[in-house]
Amino acid sequence: MNYRGIWSIYKFEMARTFRTIGQSIAAPVISTVLYFIVFGSAIGSRISDIDGVPYGAFIVPGLIMLTILGQSISNASFGIYFPRFTGTIYEILSAPLSFLEITIGYVGAAATKSIVIGLIVLLTAGFFVPLEVQHPVWMAFFLVMTCVTFSLLGFIIGIWADGFEKLQLIPLLIVTPLTFLGGSFYSITMLPAFWQKLSLLNPVVYLISGFRWSFYESSDVSLMTSLIMILVFLLLCIAVLAWIFKTGYRLKS
C-alpha cells in the first residue's frame, strides 16, 4: 500500500476545502440557521413534539443527514471529475498508485470533510435547541458510515459524469428529494398507512431513522434494519467501483 501517495491525494483535497472555506463551511452553517428559522420556529410552534421529542430537537438528525448526504456526494464527485476535466487524471493514473489507493485518497478526504461539516451543523444546532445524544458511539458510527458510503457514491458519479451538469443531476433530482421525503423533518408514522408503506421503499428513511435513534431512541424502523440497509448500500457502491476499476470505465477515456 502506497501510503505516501494516498496521503498526497488526501492532503491536496483537504487543502482545497480551506481555499473555499466560505462554500465548504459557512454555507452549511447558514443553511442550518435558515432551516431552524423556517422549520424550528414557524412550523415548530404548531407541533409540540414527536415521540416525546421537541420538534426543534427532532429535526436535528434530519438536518445533519440532509447536509452530509449532499456534501459527501459533491466533494467526492468534484474531486475526481476535476482532474478528468483538466486532463491531470493521466498523471494520477500513471503514478505508482492502484485504483484502490486513489479511491482511498479521494473518498477519505470527501468523507472527512463531510464528517467535519456534520459536527459543525450539530454544534450550530446546539445554539437553537437542547440536544441529547443518548448513544454517541452509534451516532458516530452512522455519521461515518453515511459519509463514507455517499462519498463512494459521489466518486462513482464523478467518474460517470461527462459534464458539470451530470455532476448535479443525481444529487438534485434523486438524492435531495429522497432526503426530504425520508423523514428529515417528520416521522413517517405521521403519514397515512399507504404513504408509510411507500416511504419504506426510500433507502434514506433507514439512514435517518437509525441516526435519529442514536439521539433520542426514536425511530421509524428498527435499528437492525437501518444497519443492514447502510451496509447493503456500502457494499453495492464498492461492487460498482470494483467493476469500474476492472473495466477501466471512463477513467481512460
Side-chain angles (χ1 to χ4, degrees):
M1 184 74 72
N2 188 340
Y3 295 104
R4 295 183 65 179
I6 294 173
W7 173 247
S8 295
I9 295 175
Y10 180 88
K11 184 170 63 173
F12 177 82
E13 287 297 302
M14 291 302 295
R16 184 161 59 83
T17 300
F18 297 103
R19 293 195 298 269
T20 58
I21 194 166
Q23 177 183 353
S24 303
I25 305 298
V29 173
I30 294 173
S31 297
T32 301
V33 173
L34 293 175
Y35 277 122
F36 269 107
I37 293 174
V38 174
F39 288 93
S41 299
I43 299 178
S45 61
R46 299 172 180 268
I47 303 176
S48 58
D49 60 69
I50 300 178
D51 294 336
V53 181
Y55 183 74
F58 181 86
I59 67 174
V60 171
L63 276 177
I64 296 174
M65 277 289 172
L66 179 65
T67 303
I68 64 175
L69 293 186
Q71 289 293 321
S72 296
I73 294 175
S74 176
N75 290 330
S77 61
F78 185 82
I80 188 61
Y81 177 79
F82 191 71
R84 293 177 56 227
F85 178 74
T86 59
T88 56
I89 187 67
Y90 299 106
E91 298 175 8
I92 298 174
L93 293 175
S94 62
L97 290 170
S98 67
F99 288 139
L100 176 60
E101 292 162 346
I102 293 173
T103 302
I104 292 174
Y106 280 111
V107 171
T112 300
K113 287 185 279 187
S114 298
I115 291 170
V116 171
I117 291 172
L119 294 176
I120 291 175
V121 171
L122 179 62
L123 291 174
T124 304
F127 290 102
F128 292 89
V129 293
L131 291 177
E132 179 184 3
V133 183
Q134 296 189 19
H135 302 280
V137 174
W138 281 113
M139 188 275 285
F141 174 82
F142 274 103
L143 180 65
V144 172
M145 287 293 291
T146 301
C147 289
V148 170
T149 301
F150 278 80
S151 292
L152 285 169
L153 176 60
F155 193 75
I156 294 171
I157 293 173
I159 294 174
W160 164 76
D162 55 10
F164 284 100
E165 297 82 4
K166 284 190 176 181
L167 285 180
Q168 298 299 321
L169 186 65
I170 294 179
L172 289 179
L173 297 184
I174 298 178
V175 176
T176 298
L178 288 179
T179 306
F180 274 98
L181 297 173
S184 296
F185 303 106
Y186 60 89
S187 169
I188 64 172
T189 57
M190 301 168 66
L191 301 174
F194 171 78
W195 293 107
Q196 288 186 37
K197 295 179 180 179
L198 189 63
S199 295
L200 294 178
L201 299 177
N202 181 354
V204 179
V205 166
Y206 303 93
L207 306 182
I208 295 175
S209 181
F211 193 56
R212 182 172 285 131
W213 180 90
S214 69
F215 280 76
Y216 312 118
E217 290 189 345
S218 172
S219 62
D220 295 321
V221 296
S222 68
L223 176 63
M224 185 58 64
T225 303
S226 295
L227 290 174
I228 292 173
M229 289 301 293
I230 185 64
L231 291 175
V232 166
F233 194 29
L234 175 64
L235 293 175
L236 180 61
C237 289
I238 291 174
V240 172
L241 271 176
W243 175 81
I244 290 174
F245 294 160
K246 183 178 180 180
T247 61
Y249 173 77
R250 293 280 193 187
L251 292 174
K252 298 180 181 180
S253 60

